Amino acid sequence: MVESKQTINYKYYLADKSYKDNANLVRYWDQMQDFYEGKQFPDGYLTGIPKFTANLCKYLINTKASKLRGTPYTLAFQSANKQATTKLEKFDKFILLDLKYDTELQDSIINMLIYGTEVVFYHFDGESVTLNAVYKGKLSREHIDLRRFAVANPFLPSLQRQKWVMYWQQEEVEAVRERCIKMEGESEEDFETRKSRIMPDDYTDNKYPDQSYVSHGLCTVYTRYFRVNGEVYYQSSTREYDLFDPISLNPHTNAKKINKKLKKSLEENEKDANNPNKIIDYKIDSEAMLIESDKKTMSESEYIDELTKFKSYPFVDFAPTRRFNHFYGISDIQDVIAGQQVINFCLTMAGKSIQENAWGKWVAKYGALRGQQINNDGGQLLIDYSKNASFGVQRVEANSGNMLNIVEYVNQMLNILRTLNGANETITGENASQLSGYAISLLQEQGNTVFEMIQSKLWNDFAVSEATIRLQFYLLYYEDKIKFLYEYSDTEYEKAVSLVNEKRAFDLERYKANPSGQIPPSFDAYPTPERNTEEEFSSSDIKKTVFYIVPKAGRGIKYSEVVQADQINQLFKDGTIANLSVTDKRAYIELNPMIDETTKSKFKEILDNQERSENARLVETNKQLQTAVQQQQARIQNLTAQIEMYAQYIKDLKSEFKNRLSAADKINQYKQNAIDEIIKQQEASKQTASNTSKSSTSEETSQIMSEGLNAAING
């Protein structure tokens, strides 16, 4: 038969409740929450007086939270396997979008500032279906109320070193009964009896006379996480009954052997218990898990088995300001409460004073009014019926001299509290009209050292721890190939388009070089990539990879946007950066200490795009120049052939002209000789034929000259 007794989880709950009551923690958290929400006056305080609330607590918390969250950052999963790293980072980005992580992180920061500690809980809901991908089961992230959370040792700051951690929540009885699982060695009858005995917390026979209404009641379920052989198990219980045997968070672990050992250890501990106040528990791993292993190396199978253990609790905690050697931190509201109360009291009293003296008071001697009613309406005429020489009706003016002092005092208090909490006018930039942007940035840099310290812990501790928990779930709960959607960034999208264009151009050039036997490439064969792409993820892709998780913060609160914007605008305005080469631009951006990592990365993306565009333009220009050179070479060859032809033609002309000139010279020489001969003959004729008549001499001379000329020409 099933025995009714307090469960181990409930006993631990009572111990934690006793500690928190003695330490006044619950009342402390309630007070911090009330002051943040504006419930800053006790019930029944100053009854009948309008209570003015200047909620400085909420203003300071939201201001600090916006500063801490104002720095963009990304988580890099670094490993030697680049392909596995890329796949994991894409999948983690998808999960964070599905979790609405940006909004959740903002709530976490506000919680940690209000309560001093924030605890988030990761769990895998196998029945839920994500809206962004086609698979069943999704990872969930929840905020844990510190009032409903317990650790084994509150004086041990580290959550992961706790012997156990536990949280509890109220659920409907019917839902709790459905969560029950048959336990090791339990009969079917005992199982049904155990389920039926789960009742609401406030169950009594008088309150629930009709058993059919029991299922609508609420009962508290306590879920405790602990380690066995270095792996995390959990068990849920009500006040009197366990819902199931301990279950491993690793879905591949065979828990039957473990459960037998745990039950046996529990029975042995119950027999050996001498202290009645001691809580009898299973034999589980202690908080001091710092035992060095003798084996220095592991085989690959041993390494995979060790890597796939669920070794960390699925909880992540963060306390910006911890108490000394304590798990729970200090609220940022704690030091503001006293000043907040003074400010509210002063403003409330000032309002009360205004209320009481708004119309002033009147003094009337007996019989002076004779039934007249003073209503303070404008132009009201009052008759003083007193018989004395002095006035019988007289207004008493209110003393408002202290009001100015109260307002000034409140302003001073506000300024002091804002300065102490890092939200003064310089830090928030409210007095920008009196200072230059550079001066404001330097003052903000000086005043933001406290924020930077918390911010560094936030990224390197809280964010990295969350990513480590998510990685455990990825390894163990996403073994099947699942589809997820991924949106390319601008740089990634341009790279994808560039690869398609390059492949299209390559195939086209190959076809032009050898068109025979090939089908010309079709444009439809190279579709332009979509912004959203569907990819697949499986833990087998990353199972043998060791990852180091590194947060990469972007623009921090140390460097003001004003300085960067002013500097960058000036660089583009005067053309300084535009005249630099891409290599020089990279060096300038990388070495400039006033430009943060996010802006640098964005500049590098722009430079990468510019470099790719320039390279593409240069490649196209090179192709055009090569074509032009080939055309010029062909033209040069053509001109060279023409020049050689004209050179030969000129050579032939020279030879022909030379022969013609030689012949002409000979003709001229013959002509000259003939003329000389004629002249000689004429002189001889003058001497021998002096007596001949002129007519006969002339005829003979003409005939001789004609014969001689013909002889010279012909020969």
Side-chain angles (χ1 to χ4, degrees):
M1 290 294 294
V2 177
E3 297 182 3
S4 174
K5 61 179 182 179
Q6 290 182 340
T7 59
I8 300 174
N9 291 352
Y10 184 70
K11 291 177 181 179
Y12 279 130
Y13 158 75
L14 293 177
D16 179 75
K17 182 178 183 302
S18 176
Y19 164 74
K20 287 177 179 174
D21 289 343
N22 293 331
N24 205 26
L25 281 175
V26 174
R27 183 180 176 186
Y28 175 81
W29 293 325
D30 289 342
Q31 185 183 30
M32 301 303 113
Q33 180 177 342
D34 286 343
F35 268 79
Y36 177 78
E37 295 178 355
K39 302 174 184 177
Q40 300 175 358
F41 290 95
D43 294 337
Y45 180 72
L46 299 177
T47 305
I49 299 177
K51 302 175 186 65
F52 184 89
T53 302
N55 198 344
L56 182 63
C57 294
K58 186 174 184 179
Y59 169 77
L60 294 176
I61 292 296
N62 290 345
T63 300
K64 184 175 287 190
S66 65
K67 278 183 167 293
L68 295 176
R69 185 65 187 94
T71 301
Y73 81 101
T74 56
L75 284 175
F77 293 84
Q78 297 182 352
S79 71
N81 188 342
K82 185 177 180 180
Q83 185 176 2
T85 299
T86 303
K87 180 83 71 173
L88 177 59
E89 288 183 346
K90 287 183 177 181
F91 185 69
D92 185 62
K93 182 179 179 181
F94 163 75
I95 293 295
L96 292 179
L97 289 175
D98 191 56
L99 292 174
K100 298 179 177 59
Y101 186 74
D102 284 343
T103 304
E104 290 289 315
L105 182 60
Q106 182 71 22
D107 293 339
S108 292
I109 294 175
I110 292 176
N111 286 343
M112 68 181 65
L113 294 175
I114 295 175
Y115 303 107
T117 305
E118 163 70 349
V119 177
V120 295
F121 170 51
Y122 279 91
H123 63 94
F124 188 83
D125 188 353
E127 296 300 321
S128 297
V129 178
T130 178
L131 298 176
N132 298 324
V134 187
Y135 65 91
K136 194 173 183 179
K138 61 176 292 187
L139 192 63
S140 299
R141 179 184 187 270
E142 295 182 12
H143 302 278
I144 297 297
D145 187 349
L146 296 180
R147 306 169 187 84
R148 298 174 176 269
F149 181 77
V151 293
N153 185 0
F155 301 101
L156 183 64
S158 174
L159 184 147
Q160 294 299 333
R161 289 189 60 200
Q162 297 287 342
K163 187 176 181 179
W164 54 261
V165 295
M166 183 171 65
Y167 79 99
W168 52 92
Q169 60 186 1
Q170 287 190 316
E171 302 179 25
E172 286 189 354
V173 170
E174 187 65 26
V176 176
R177 290 175 177 175
E178 290 178 359
R179 289 179 56 188
C180 291
I181 302 175
K182 190 175 179 180
M183 301 174 70
E184 184 70 24
E186 186 179 34
S187 66
E188 189 68 30
E189 181 182 357
D190 289 344
F191 174 55
E192 294 298 331
T193 301
R194 176 166 57 90
K195 287 200 303 181
S196 65
R197 290 186 178 180
I198 296 176
M199 297 294 178
D201 293 339
D202 57 351
Y203 174 78
T204 61
D205 292 336
N206 294 330
K207 186 165 185 177
Y208 295 96
D210 187 350
Q211 291 292 323
S212 62
Y213 292 100
V214 170
S215 61
H216 299 290
L218 298 177
C219 70
T220 304
V221 178
Y222 307 88
T223 303
R224 184 167 62 107
Y225 291 78
F226 49 85
R227 292 188 182 93
V228 180
N229 296 337
E231 194 158 31
V232 177
Y233 285 73
Y234 70 96
Q235 186 178 36
S236 296
S237 308
T238 63
R239 181 171 53 193
E240 297 176 336
Y241 299 99
D242 294 326
L243 303 188
F244 42 76
D245 284 327
I247 298 176
S248 173
L249 276 182
N250 188 341
H252 309 291
T253 299
N254 185 356
K256 290 186 177 181
K257 295 182 179 180
I258 296 293
N259 288 334
K260 289 182 179 180
K261 292 181 179 179
L262 289 176
K263 281 198 171 184
K264 186 177 181 180
S265 68
L266 182 62
E267 293 172 356
E268 292 175 353
N269 290 338
E270 287 177 343
K271 293 178 181 179
D272 297 339
N274 296 322
N275 184 358
N277 296 323
K278 182 180 179 181
I279 300 175
I280 307 302
D281 197 356
Y282 302 110
K283 185 180 179 181
I284 59 180
D285 297 344
S286 65
E287 60 189 39
M289 300 172 59
L290 303 177
I291 302 175
E292 185 177 356
S293 174
D294 294 333
K295 186 181 288 187
K296 302 300 181 182
T297 59
M298 292 184 292
S299 65
E300 183 176 350
S301 60
E302 291 174 332
Y303 171 73
I304 296 298
D305 291 340
E306 188 67 23
L307 190 65
T308 53
K309 282 186 176 181
F310 209 116
K311 296 184 289 185
S312 299
Y313 294 128
F315 297 88
V316 183
D317 70 302
F318 183 70
T321 308
R322 287 196 182 274
R323 304 172 192 271
F324 181 69
N325 288 337
H326 206 282
F327 176 78
Y328 298 107
I330 303 173
S331 170
D332 276 39
I333 298 178
Q334 175 178 305
D335 297 333
V336 186
I337 286 180
Q340 175 76 82
Q341 289 174 326
V342 171
I343 291 173
N344 288 343
F345 178 78
C346 289
L347 294 176
T348 299
M349 291 299 100
K352 179 63 175 174
S353 176
I354 294 173
Q355 182 188 47
E356 291 177 348
N357 297 286
W359 292 280
K361 294 181 175 59
W362 292 82
V363 176
K365 294 180 179 179
Y366 181 76
L369 289 175
R370 291 188 181 180
Q372 297 177 95
Q373 296 294 326
I374 302 176
N375 53 26
N376 282 322
D377 289 341
Q380 182 184 15
L381 179 63
L382 295 175
I383 300 175
D384 187 356
Y385 291 99
S386 61
K387 299 178 180 180
N388 299 326
S390 60
F391 286 103
V393 180
Q394 188 175 5
R395 183 183 181 91
V396 179
E397 296 295 334
N399 183 12
S400 60
N402 293 330
M403 292 296 300
L404 296 177
N405 296 333
I406 292 176
V407 173
E408 182 62 28
Y409 176 72
V410 169
N411 285 333
Q412 291 178 0
M413 286 287 294
L414 285 171
N415 290 332
I416 292 173
L417 291 174
R418 290 180 64 181
T419 301
L420 291 176
N421 288 273
N424 56 38
E425 292 180 348
T426 299
I427 298 300
T428 57
E430 295 173 31
N431 57 354
S433 60
Q434 302 175 12
L435 297 174
S436 66
Y438 187 73
I440 293 175
S441 178
L442 294 178
L443 290 173
Q444 289 176 335
E445 179 181 347
Q446 182 180 2
N448 279 330
T449 54
V450 177
F451 293 105
E452 291 173 3
M453 179 178 65
I454 300 175
Q455 195 177 64
S456 177
K457 290 175 61 180
L458 180 66
W459 303 147
N460 291 281
D461 185 2
F462 187 68
V464 171
S465 297
E466 283 197 271
T468 303
I469 300 300
R470 292 198 301 272
L471 182 57
Q472 284 188 132
F473 280 99
Y474 298 159
L475 287 169
L476 297 174
Y477 287 82
Y478 294 91
E479 291 187 315
D480 297 332
K481 287 283 185 182
I482 59 172
K483 297 179 181 180
F484 69 96
L485 298 179
Y486 179 76
E487 182 179 2
Y488 285 121
S489 65
D490 292 340
T491 303
E492 291 172 334
Y493 182 71
E494 290 182 4
K495 287 182 180 178
V497 174
S498 178
L499 289 175
V500 171
N501 292 335
E502 289 176 3
K503 181 173 178 56
R504 183 186 300 156
F506 176 79
D507 288 352
L508 186 61
E509 290 294 330
R510 185 176 60 179
Y511 171 76
K512 289 181 179 179
N514 185 20
S516 61
Q518 294 188 23
I519 301 175
S522 171
F523 186 83
D524 296 335
Y526 306 96
T528 303
E530 298 291 339
R531 273 285 186 177
N532 293 321
T533 181
E534 189 178 84
E535 299 193 14
E536 288 186 343
F537 175 82
S538 171
S539 61
S540 59
D541 300 331
I542 62 173
K543 204 159 249 183
K544 297 182 180 181
T545 306
V546 178
F547 291 97
Y548 294 93
I549 304 172
V550 181
K552 294 184 177 181
R555 178 190 57 78
I557 51 182
K558 181 177 181 180
Y559 298 118
S560 171
E561 287 182 327
V562 178
V563 177
Q564 292 190 84
D566 182 67
Q567 186 180 25
I568 294 171
N569 288 337
Q570 190 63 34
L571 288 173
F572 280 100
K573 184 177 179 181
D574 58 19
T576 303
I577 196 169
N579 296 328
L580 298 176
S581 65
V582 174
T583 303
D584 292 338
K585 289 176 183 176
R586 289 184 188 278
Y588 174 81
I589 296 300
E590 188 66 32
L591 297 176
N592 193 330
M594 295 301 291
I595 299 179
D596 58 72
E597 294 301 323
T598 296
T599 307
K600 284 182 180 180
S601 64
K602 290 181 179 179
F603 257 114
K604 290 176 183 177
E605 289 183 5
I606 295 173
L607 293 177
D608 289 340
N609 295 337
Q610 181 180 352
E611 192 172 26
R612 283 194 295 271
S613 299
E614 289 183 358
N615 289 339
R617 182 177 56 81
L618 290 175
V619 168
E620 185 64 26
T621 303
N622 186 36
K623 290 182 180 179
Q624 294 176 358
L625 290 175
Q626 288 179 353
T627 302
V629 168
Q630 292 175 357
Q631 292 175 351
Q632 292 297 328
Q633 288 177 346
R635 184 180 179 187
I636 289 172
Q637 292 177 357
N638 187 21
L639 291 175
T640 301
Q642 292 182 9
I643 289 172
E644 291 177 354
M645 181 185 68
Y646 285 122
Q648 184 64 37
Y649 179 68
I650 292 172
K651 184 177 180 181
D652 295 341
L653 286 178
K654 284 183 178 180
S655 177
E656 182 180 355
F657 289 153
K658 184 177 180 181
N659 293 333
R660 288 184 179 184
L661 289 173
S662 177
D665 289 340
K666 289 181 180 181
I667 292 173
N668 290 334
Q669 185 64 39
Y670 291 151
K671 288 181 178 181
Q672 187 64 40
N673 292 336
I675 292 171
D676 291 341
E677 185 63 28
I678 291 171
I679 292 172
K680 288 180 180 181
Q681 290 178 2
Q682 286 179 349
E683 290 179 352
S685 298
K686 287 180 180 180
Q687 293 179 359
T688 57
S690 58
N691 297 322
T692 308
S693 63
K694 293 182 181 180
S695 59
S696 60
T697 303
S698 176
E699 292 177 356
E700 292 177 357
T701 301
S702 299
Q703 185 177 0
I704 293 172
M705 289 179 65
S706 177
E707 292 176 355
L709 182 59
N710 291 331
I713 292 172
N714 296 326

